[in-house]
Amino acid sequence: QVQLVESGGGLVQPGGSLRLSCAASGNFRSINTMGWYRQAPGKERELVATVTSDDITNYADSVKGRFTISRDNVKNTVYLQMNSLKPEDTAVYFCSADVVRGWTALTYGYWGQGTQVTVSS
């Protein structure tokens, strides 16, 4: 199986910064796109940012210029550096990974368990 374990969430004041990490472990051949999504209370899960295995990034308009996604392919880890945080960034943040497994080299999608980010004074 494959596990995604997130860390780095917490409480921060508006204008502050946090760095989220998500490490993938288990039995797989490689990882294609990795990403971060978030879900605020009463709202649907939404894309925050993604990064491909070739380091091509994509961001939601709401976080462009404030958040930076990166990955370490040796550590199978994706990061989300969040700066200039706003109260509307408050949500549970989930990491995702498209993982290539098995002799058939099929791709499977996995989610982490989520980490809470709260932006409040």
Side-chain angles (χ1 to χ4, degrees):
Q1 267 293 356
V2 177
Q3 296 81 39
L4 301 180
V5 178
E6 298 127 334
S7 61
L11 173 64
V12 63
Q13 292 186 342
S17 299
L18 280 176
R19 188 190 193 211
L20 305 182
S21 300
C22 174
S25 63
N27 187 12
F28 54 87
R29 297 177 62 170
S30 61
I31 304 176
N32 293 335
T33 299
M34 303 184 81
W36 289 95
Y37 293 73
R38 67 186 181 187
Q39 187 167 18
K43 295 187 176 181
E44 294 186 352
R45 190 173 298 188
E46 63 176 6
L47 168 73
V48 176
T50 60
V51 57
T52 69
S53 56
D54 296 327
D55 284 330
I56 297 172
T57 58
N58 178 52
Y59 294 92
D61 288 342
S62 59
V63 307
K64 283 182 181 176
R66 300 188 298 123
F67 291 10
T68 302
I69 190 170
S70 62
R71 64 189 284 173
D72 183 328
N73 292 326
V74 174
K75 296 181 179 180
N76 294 315
T77 299
V78 62
Y79 305 96
L80 185 68
Q81 178 65 44
M82 304 185 292
N83 299 328
S84 302
L85 282 161
K86 305 174 181 180
E88 50 264 43
D89 294 318
T90 296
V92 178
Y93 283 69
F94 298 89
C95 74
S96 70
D98 294 333
V99 177
V100 181
R101 299 186 65 198
W103 63 272
T104 57
L106 293 177
T107 301
Y108 300 85
Y110 290 89
W111 291 94
Q113 79 285 357
T115 184
Q116 177 70 45
V117 172
T118 302
V119 184
S120 175
S121 54

